[in-house]
Amino acid sequence: MGKAHIVKKPGADLSEDEVISFCRTLMANFKVPREVEFLAALPRNPSGKVLKRVLRGES
């Protein structure tokens, strides 16, 4: 099951349904995220890389 983690621009009005609908127009069905989570910022390590383990909930 796929999940999208999204950081919205300030003042942007975006819903989970809008993201999923947009993805359906561009992606194959099995690649479309089933869930969308909006975050204030993506977790990053000191060198700036996104910490995917933290997003997945792993330690």
Side-chain angles (χ1 to χ4, degrees), residues 5-48:
H5 298 275
I6 297 177
V7 177
K8 293 192 272 186
K9 290 183 178 181
D13 184 30
L14 188 63
S15 71
E16 181 177 354
D17 293 333
E18 289 174 327
V19 172
I20 292 172
S21 295
F22 179 75
C23 289
R24 284 182 204 266
T25 64
L26 299 175
M27 300 175 161
N29 190 45
F30 70 94
K31 293 183 180 181
V32 175
R34 304 293 182 237
E35 296 179 52
V36 177
E37 182 178 348
F38 295 102
L39 304 171
L42 292 174
R44 296 181 183 269
N45 68 12
S47 65

